[in-house]
Amino acid sequence: VAARKGKDIGLSPVQVKVHRFDVKEWRDPVMDFDILCSKGTYIRAFARDLGKVTGCGAHLSALRRTASGEFGIQQCWSIAEFEARISALPAPVSAKA
């Protein structure tokens, strides 16, 4: 809320680790990349900082998390599969007073 009102929120730098940074495609001025990084890494801030370091500015137009810890995108369910699994659960048991 403060940032939307133009107030300085005083972000503190945080050390993160980038294990892998792969440029998937470059269509000047657009770069598509995959990154494997430590927890606590804010990819939007990473893009902003990359733009500052290169002197050309940068921002994200899309962001997709493909893994979190040991869980990869291959283990995800579609919305339809999630709804099917939920509807297959037994009805809740009501507690008697």
Side-chain angles (χ1 to χ4, degrees):
V1 175
R4 289 187 193 127
K5 293 180 180 178
K7 295 181 182 176
D8 183 14
I9 55 175
L11 296 175
S12 300
V14 176
Q15 188 171 18
V16 297
K17 183 162 185 159
V18 174
H19 303 284
R20 195 182 76 238
F21 183 85
D22 299 322
V23 176
K24 303 306 270 183
E25 191 172 355
W26 175 260
R27 299 173 316 281
D28 193 21
V30 177
M31 176 196 300
D32 292 339
F33 63 89
D34 283 343
I35 187 169
L36 177 62
C37 51
S38 63
K39 67 179 183 176
T41 305
Y42 289 95
I43 300 303
R44 288 179 183 87
F46 178 85
R48 178 201 62 215
D49 294 347
L50 184 62
K52 284 182 182 178
V53 167
T54 59
C56 65
H59 71 278
L60 293 182
S61 60
L63 176 62
R64 181 178 186 213
R65 182 180 299 234
T66 58
S68 182
E70 64 185 75
F71 301 102
I73 195 89
Q74 305 83 357
Q75 296 165 286
C76 292
W77 299 335
S78 67
I79 296 294
E81 185 175 0
F82 177 76
E83 289 172 341
R85 288 174 179 255
I86 292 293
S87 65
L89 291 173
V93 177
S94 60
K96 295 184 179 184

